[in-house]
């Protein structure tokens, strides 16, 4: 993707299963290229603006949980329309006020070329700020999950980690993560794929709702 201002119609919204569009940009950790993250998980997320209350709480919370993402072999990358120098000043303020260093890269996207490609900008909004979108990108560069919150609601870092745990667990065990699943809980088995399996199942619901072998070693 070249970083020129966009022309023409808006791209179709990204969906789960799409390849994460590649880009190169300046960031607080130096130049970054999305494709350089192939081989590990990446959480790419946008925030509306530096020096705003909810965003500050998100960055403090994420920086404090950076080791938990690292333990899952997952990098973090943030993005907003603010300039690199705004990002620097904000991170310095966060360090001085909250005693935590944000070491993951924050991309500057003043032309919104990345924000638009990822659908991080509200199309109806006259404000060019990005909303709180989060993309979970797997080691092959495929978007596996995404979320979108308004500027007024901060994200849950435990839920981000839970989503990552669930994606990694289902890849390892080819199971399904039920409601409220937490790392270490049993996964569900994929439902029957043919009528023989349906008729052979013992319990009434066993052909579509049954636990896979419980997994050991709860991480948290
Ligand atoms: C916030 O992070 O607090 C925020 C950002 C943009 C608009 C409103 C609130």
């Amino acid at each position: 993707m070249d970083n020129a201002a966009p022309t023409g119609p808006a791209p179709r919204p990204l969906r789960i299963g799409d390849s994460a569009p590649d880009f190169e940009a300046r960031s607080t950790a130096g130049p970054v290229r999305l494709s350089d993250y192939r081989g590990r998980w990446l959480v790419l997320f946008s925030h509306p603006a530096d020096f705003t209350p909810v965003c500050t709480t998100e960055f403090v919370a994420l920086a404090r949980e950076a080791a938990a993402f690292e333990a899952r072999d997952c990098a973090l990358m943030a993005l907003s329309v603010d300039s690199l120098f705004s990002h620097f000043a904000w991170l310095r303020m966060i360090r001085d006020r909250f005693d935590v260093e944000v070491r993951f890269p924050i991309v500057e996207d003043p032309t919104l070329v990345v924000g638009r490609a990822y659908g991080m900008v509200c199309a109806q909004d006259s404000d060019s700020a990005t909303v709180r979108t989060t993309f979970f990108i797997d080691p092959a560069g495929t978007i596996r999950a995404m979320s979108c919150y308004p500027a007024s609601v901060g994200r849950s870092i435990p839920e981000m980690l839970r989503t990552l745990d669930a994606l990694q667990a289902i890849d390892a065990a080819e199971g399904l993560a039920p409601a409220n699943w937490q790392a270490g809980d049993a996964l569900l088995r994929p439902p029957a794929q043919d009528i023989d399996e349906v008729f052979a199942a013992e319990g009434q619901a066993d052909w579509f709702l049954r636990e896979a072998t419980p997994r050991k070693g709860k991480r948290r």
Side-chain angles (χ1 to χ4, degrees):
M1 184 190 305
D2 85 38
N3 286 9
T7 53
R12 116 167 143 67
L14 289 173
R15 297 184 189 136
I16 288 172
D18 284 348
S19 271
D22 200 12
F23 63 85
E24 286 181 45
R26 294 203 307 176
S27 86
T28 51
V32 287
R33 184 167 51 191
L34 190 104
S35 50
D36 287 346
Y37 287 78
R38 291 279 158 86
R40 60 186 309 212
W41 287 82
L42 173 67
V43 172
L44 171 68
F45 63 100
S46 59
H47 66 282
D50 298 348
F51 293 101
T52 52
V54 177
C55 294
T56 302
T57 62
E58 286 189 331
F59 276 70
V60 170
L62 278 164
R64 289 188 174 143
E65 287 290 351
F69 287 90
E70 204 50 51
R72 291 157 173 81
D73 196 22
C74 179
L76 293 167
M77 187 189 294
L79 177 146
S80 83
V81 293
D82 301 279
S83 73
L84 193 58
F85 298 100
S86 167
H87 292 334
F88 285 147
W90 188 39
L91 297 194
R92 199 184 148 98
M93 186 283 298
I94 286 176
R95 185 202 60 181
D96 294 349
R97 168 69 178 75
F98 296 98
D99 199 25
V100 64
E101 292 185 357
V102 175
R103 288 290 181 171
F104 55 82
I106 309 181
V107 166
E108 67 165 2
D109 188 27
T111 60
L112 279 167
V113 69
V114 181
R116 286 191 208 286
Y118 276 82
M120 292 166 162
V121 188
C122 246
Q124 292 81 9
D125 216 332
S126 54
D127 185 352
S128 65
T130 50
V131 285
R132 295 185 203 284
T133 55
T134 309
F135 291 87
F136 296 82
I137 301 170
D138 74 11
T142 302
I143 295 169
R144 298 290 301 279
M146 52 181 128
S147 71
C148 186
Y149 285 52
S152 47
V153 178
R155 284 161 282 209
S156 160
I157 282 59
E159 176 56 14
M160 289 166 78
L161 289 167
R162 191 193 77 93
T163 303
L164 197 50
D165 283 337
L167 292 168
Q168 293 182 348
I170 64 171
D171 282 1
E174 291 183 13
L176 310 168
N180 298 330
W181 181 90
Q182 295 287 340
D185 290 352
L187 295 171
L188 301 177
R189 285 202 226 166
Q193 295 298 315
D194 62 61
I195 195 66
D196 289 340
E197 226 187 308
V198 174
F199 287 153
E202 277 181 24
Q204 201 174 38
D206 284 356
W207 61 273
F208 73 92
L209 182 57
R210 57 193 170 165
E211 280 190 359
T213 315
R215 308 185 71 231
K216 300 267 178 327
K218 229 175 156 94
R219 208 188 312 237
R220 283 171 297 144

